[in-house]
C-alpha cells in the first residue's frame, strides 16, 4: 500500500522570529506495508501526513475541501504574506491529494494539481525561511510523485517519476536530519522507508521488464 497524504498545516511559520516548527504536525510518513488502511490506495508503504488543522479547518478527506483552499488563496498575496500563502498552497495540495483517493476516475488530474500546489508552496517554504515547513511539503510532494507514478503506464515514465519521488523525499530528509525527533512534525524513519519502497518498486518493475524481453 502506498505512501499516504499529510494532514493539514495550521502554521505559516514565523519567519521574523526564525521559527522553524509547524504548529501541530506535518506530513508524517507511516511505514505500514502493502494493504495498510491508513488513507491511501496504491501500493508502496503508507505515508501519513502532518500539518494538522485545528477543529475549524475543512476536513482534508472532504472531496470538496480543495474548493475552500482555492478561495483562501485569493485572500493572501505571496509578496506580502508569503508564509501564509505557502501554508494554504500546502493544504490545497493535501486536499487535492485526498480528493484523488475518492475520485479514482479523476485521480491523475487531481494528483497533478496537488503537485502544482506543493511546488507553489515551495517557492516560499525554503530551507532558509521555514526549514521544517520546507521538509514537510517536500515529504508531501514525494508522496504525490509516488502516487502519480502508479497512475502511469510504461516502465520508463514510471521509473522517472519514482526517481523524482526518491529525490524529493531525500531533500526532505536532508533538512529533517538537522533537527531532533521532537522538533520534527513527520516520521523521518518512515520517509526513509518510503525511499526504500520506491527503489524496490523500480527494481521489481525492472526485473519484470527484463523477463518480458
Amino acid at each position: 500500500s502506498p505512501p499516504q497524504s499529510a494532514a493539514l498545516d495550521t502554521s505559516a511559520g514565523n519567519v521574523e522570529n526564525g521559527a522553524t516548527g509547524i504548529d501541530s504536525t506535518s506530513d508524517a510518513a507511516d511505514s505500514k506495508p502493502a494493504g495498510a488502511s491508513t488513507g491511501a490506495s496504491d501500493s508502496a508503504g503508507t505515508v501519513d501526513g502532518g500539518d494538522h488543522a485545528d477543529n475549524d479547518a475543512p476536513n482534508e478527506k472532504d472531496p470538496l475541501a480543495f474548493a475552500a483552499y482555492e478561495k483562501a488563496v485569493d485572500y493572501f498575496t505571496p509578496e506580502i504574506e508569503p508564509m501564509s500563502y505557502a501554508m494554504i498552497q500546502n493544504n490545497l495540495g493535501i486536499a487535492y491529494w485526498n480528493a484523488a483517493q475518492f475520485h479514482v476516475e479523476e485521480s491523475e488530474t487531481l494528483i497533478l494539481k496537488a503537485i502544482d500546489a506543493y511546488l507553489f508552496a515551495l517557492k516560499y517554504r525554503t530551507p532558509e525561511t521555514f526549514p521544517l515547513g520546507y521538509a514537510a511539503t517536500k515529504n508531501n510532494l514525494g508522496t504525490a510523485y509516488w502516487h502519480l507514478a502508479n497512475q502511469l503506464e510504461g516502465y520508463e515514465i514510471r521509473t522517472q517519476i519514482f526517481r523524482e519521488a526518491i529525490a524529493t523525499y531525500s531533500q526532505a530528509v536532508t533538512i529533517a536530519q538537522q533537527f531532533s525527533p521532537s522538533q520534527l512534525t513527520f516520521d523521518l524513519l518512515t520517509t526513509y522507508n518510503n525511499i526504500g519502497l520506491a527503489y524496490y518498486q523500480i527494481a521489481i518493475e525492472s526485473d519484470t521488464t527484463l523477463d518480458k524481453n
Side-chain angles (χ1 to χ4, degrees):
S1 76
Q4 292 188 327
S5 153
L8 302 178
D9 183 1
T10 58
S11 171
N14 188 337
V15 179
E16 291 182 1
N17 293 331
T20 56
I22 294 177
D23 189 15
S24 295
T25 15
S26 147
D27 323 328
D30 179 0
S31 60
K32 291 178 179 146
S37 57
T38 53
S41 58
D42 287 300
S43 56
T46 57
V47 178
D48 181 18
D51 295 336
H52 287 307
D54 58 26
N55 293 332
D56 295 327
N59 183 345
E60 69 268 28
K61 287 185 168 57
D62 183 349
L64 299 179
F66 58 81
Y69 289 110
E70 286 175 335
K71 291 181 180 179
V73 166
D74 294 336
Y75 290 94
F76 294 96
T77 303
E79 292 76 17
I80 298 174
E81 299 179 278
M83 293 298 100
S84 293
Y85 178 83
M87 177 193 69
I88 296 299
Q89 286 287 359
N90 181 69
N91 287 350
L92 178 60
I94 293 167
Y96 276 130
W97 188 95
N98 279 292
Q101 312 311 303
F102 293 95
H103 296 272
V104 178
E105 69 283 359
E106 301 175 52
S107 183
E108 182 178 335
T109 297
L110 290 166
I111 290 172
L112 287 169
K113 288 185 176 183
I115 289 170
D116 284 344
Y118 292 141
L119 291 173
F120 270 118
L122 288 166
K123 290 182 178 181
Y124 306 98
R125 283 186 165 188
T126 69
E128 295 76 29
T129 60
F130 192 10
L132 282 182
Y134 168 88
T137 301
K138 279 286 185 178
N139 193 52
N140 284 348
L141 181 59
T143 297
Y145 280 134
W146 199 101
H147 284 272
L148 177 61
N150 280 280
Q151 296 290 321
L152 303 174
E153 295 183 3
Y155 171 73
E156 289 187 3
I157 186 62
R158 284 168 62 86
T159 297
Q160 178 183 338
I161 302 301
F162 277 127
R163 291 194 182 281
E164 195 70 44
I166 290 166
T168 304
Y169 280 136
S170 297
Q171 289 165 341
V173 166
T174 296
I175 298 301
Q177 286 176 327
Q178 302 173 24
F179 298 90
S180 68
S182 63
Q183 290 176 290
L184 293 177
T185 51
F186 62 96
D187 185 345
L188 184 56
L189 292 179
T190 307
T191 302
Y192 279 120
N193 184 63
N194 293 335
I195 292 171
L197 288 166
Y199 276 122
Y200 176 79
Q201 192 74 23
I202 291 170
I204 289 297
E205 295 192 11
S206 176
D207 288 343
T208 301
T209 301
L210 289 173
D211 289 342
K212 288 181 179 179
N213 293 335

